[in-house]
Amino acid sequence: MSALAIYLSVGLITLLLLGVPVAFTLAILAITGLYIADINPIIFAQRALAGTNVTSLLAIPGFILAGDLMSSGGLSRRLVRFAAAVFGHLTGGLSMATVVAGTFFGAISGSAPATTAAVGSVMIDELDKRGYKRGYAAALATSVGPIGQMIPPSIPMVIWGVLAEQSIARLFLAGVVPGLIAAAGFMVVSYFYARHYGLTSDKQTTWLELRAAVRDGIWALLAPVVILGGIYGGVFTPTEASMVGVFYGLIVGLFIYKELKWTELGTVLLRSMRTSGIIMFIISMAYAFAYLMANEQIPAQIAGYLLSISDNPLIILLLVNLLLLILGAIMDNVSGMVILSSVLTAIGAQIGMDPIQLGAMVVINLAVGMVTPPVGYSIFVGASISGLRVETVALHLWPFLLVLLGVIALVAYVPAVTLWLPGLMS
């Protein structure tokens, strides 16, 4: 390993341990690394620009803004009401309704923190009032966040599709079955939790009440149908679908539900722009850093090392999943994907893994990192909304994490879980 490769590897670990933000860590190492390697520093600007000069990435600010508009416009609250009307009478029904609402909202926003915020702001207090421990309620709202990154449209799937040069539409489909399995697992946890603590359920919803919930929430329920139906019906691309989602959120929020006020648009836009800017900045810095990594052949060396441990693909997959889980616990998923994309694609090719299955496995592993201390963004969102300490929320996460680890195992070792739906599309 060259001196520059050692510098980049040690520097990355050291700066992250010191608490330097990931984007600035990558920028510092990329700039100093270019000087050490005696490479023209103009390469930094070129690679940083190339990292964001990709048409498909336009879907990211679009889906972020669409999710913010729909949340502010009252769609998330109506999704919760509909889910409660359908599942509220079951044992653990209100907890199940939280899972269903999170799954629906995930099909709108594509973001784990946004899903946690939208569902948690409505359901945590309600679950608390019905006898559920507040820590459990916060952990549940936190855990449904990763479903927002599995169920399409998924912002991380867009990023991986660009990095690995894979079909974003096929990657979207690859996340559907794992997302539904995770949701089903959470509903099982909800049932046994309510049964263990003897929590009462709501009365059976009458036909009139159900019809009222459907009538009130029909525009919210149609949002994922419009967005995903348009993509797979060939009407528009995923990037165009994000803009359709923005337009849909504006129309429904301003003129149908009338909960989104003209005076709030500036705040919503600024919030979305801030989130999009952070993601794009990380991607641009990671691309500059990845140039040096590739120039020093570090990804190939890491891949070679992992492949030298065993020639059994099952063992290699286990090691890759452990690496991704550890990375997801200490780094945001965008940075993790950009830094390791070349390593993981090389390993996937060596063991004969389908690129779509590999992409789904990477995204889902890093999505679990969103609910894993110490850097799980969704945990901080759930703690902030519930008013609890992060440690309290984390203590109640374990049954949901077990479900998510089971989903990761299925995705890694049962190819049909991720490849069945994309296979139907082709």
Side-chain angles (χ1 to χ4, degrees):
M1 185 177 283
S2 68
L4 178 58
I6 294 173
Y7 167 75
L8 293 175
S9 303
V10 174
L12 180 65
I13 296 171
T14 303
L15 290 176
L16 289 176
L17 288 176
L18 289 174
V20 180
V22 173
F24 293 107
T25 294
L26 299 177
I28 291 168
L29 293 175
I31 294 171
T32 55
L34 287 171
Y35 278 103
I36 292 172
D38 197 24
I39 299 174
N40 191 331
I42 195 67
I43 292 292
F44 176 81
Q46 292 174 346
R47 297 307 302 168
L49 179 61
T52 55
N53 191 25
V54 181
T55 304
S56 298
L57 290 178
L58 288 172
I60 294 175
F63 282 128
I64 289 173
L65 179 56
D68 284 344
L69 287 170
M70 292 182 189
S71 181
S72 300
L75 277 76
S76 59
R77 182 169 57 79
R78 286 169 171 82
L79 287 174
V80 168
R81 182 189 174 192
F82 168 77
V86 175
F87 296 95
H89 66 284
L90 302 174
T91 301
L94 196 62
S95 183
M96 293 180 185
T98 305
V99 176
V100 173
T103 304
F104 267 98
F105 192 80
I108 296 173
S109 70
S111 164
T115 302
T116 295
V119 176
S121 60
V122 179
M123 293 302 296
I124 290 177
D125 287 340
E126 192 64 30
L127 286 163
D128 191 16
K129 292 175 185 175
R130 300 295 183 90
Y132 290 83
K133 291 183 179 179
R134 194 167 184 82
Y136 169 86
L140 175 62
T142 299
S143 300
V144 298
I147 296 179
Q149 295 190 355
M150 300 180 206
I151 298 289
S154 163
I155 293 171
M157 291 288 192
V158 173
I159 296 171
W160 183 262
V162 173
L163 295 173
E165 298 181 352
Q166 296 297 317
S167 165
I168 294 173
R170 287 171 62 82
L171 284 168
F172 277 179
L173 284 177
V176 172
V177 174
L180 294 178
I181 292 174
F186 289 170
M187 292 178 78
V188 171
V189 171
S190 299
Y191 170 80
F192 282 106
Y193 179 90
R195 185 174 176 181
H196 177 74
Y197 287 101
L199 299 174
T200 58
S201 57
D202 292 341
K203 62 181 179 62
Q204 177 76 45
T205 304
T206 66
W207 171 247
L208 289 177
E209 291 171 335
L210 179 60
R211 188 173 67 175
V214 172
R215 187 190 303 117
D216 187 41
I218 187 64
W219 293 103
L221 295 169
L222 284 176
V225 176
V226 170
I227 295 172
L228 300 179
I231 293 173
Y232 298 113
V235 180
F236 36 73
T237 66
T239 303
E240 293 165 344
S242 68
M243 295 299 105
V244 171
V246 170
F247 182 75
Y248 188 92
L250 277 172
I251 296 300
V252 174
L254 287 172
F255 303 112
I256 298 178
Y257 290 152
K258 298 181 181 179
E259 291 192 17
L260 180 62
K261 309 302 180 184
W262 289 99
T263 53
E264 297 174 351
L265 286 180
T267 303
V268 174
L269 284 170
L270 284 174
R271 184 169 65 242
S272 301
M273 289 169 62
R274 187 181 301 113
T275 305
S276 300
I278 291 171
I279 292 175
M280 292 302 180
F281 182 55
I282 293 173
I283 291 175
S284 64
M285 294 303 100
Y287 256 84
F289 180 77
Y291 168 80
L292 278 175
M293 294 273 286
N295 194 57
E296 292 299 305
Q297 297 185 331
I298 296 174
Q301 293 177 41
I302 296 174
Y305 173 73
L306 285 175
L307 293 169
S308 69
I309 295 175
S310 173
D311 57 1
N312 187 334
L314 301 181
I315 301 298
I316 294 170
L317 273 178
L318 176 62
L319 293 174
V320 169
N321 279 285
L322 288 174
L323 173 65
L324 288 169
L325 285 171
I326 293 170
L327 190 71
I330 61 174
M331 184 182 294
D332 68 276
N333 52 17
V334 177
S335 302
M337 284 189 288
V338 177
I339 291 172
L340 285 183
S341 59
S342 53
V343 175
L344 297 174
T345 50
I347 293 174
Q350 285 289 329
I351 64 176
M353 190 175 193
D354 188 282
I356 298 297
Q357 181 190 4
L358 174 67
M361 186 183 77
V362 172
V363 168
I364 293 170
N365 266 285
L366 295 177
V368 174
M370 301 296 282
V371 297
T372 306
V375 190
Y377 292 159
S378 290
I379 295 182
F380 294 104
V381 174
S384 175
I385 294 172
S386 63
L388 299 174
R389 294 173 60 87
V390 171
E391 304 92 291
T392 304
V393 179
L395 284 173
H396 289 83
L397 280 170
W398 67 267
F400 305 107
L401 286 176
L402 288 178
V403 171
L404 292 172
L405 290 175
V407 172
I408 289 173
L410 287 173
V411 168
Y413 294 110
V414 185
V417 171
T418 50
L419 299 180
W420 174 63
L421 276 179
L424 292 179
M425 187 184 84
S426 61

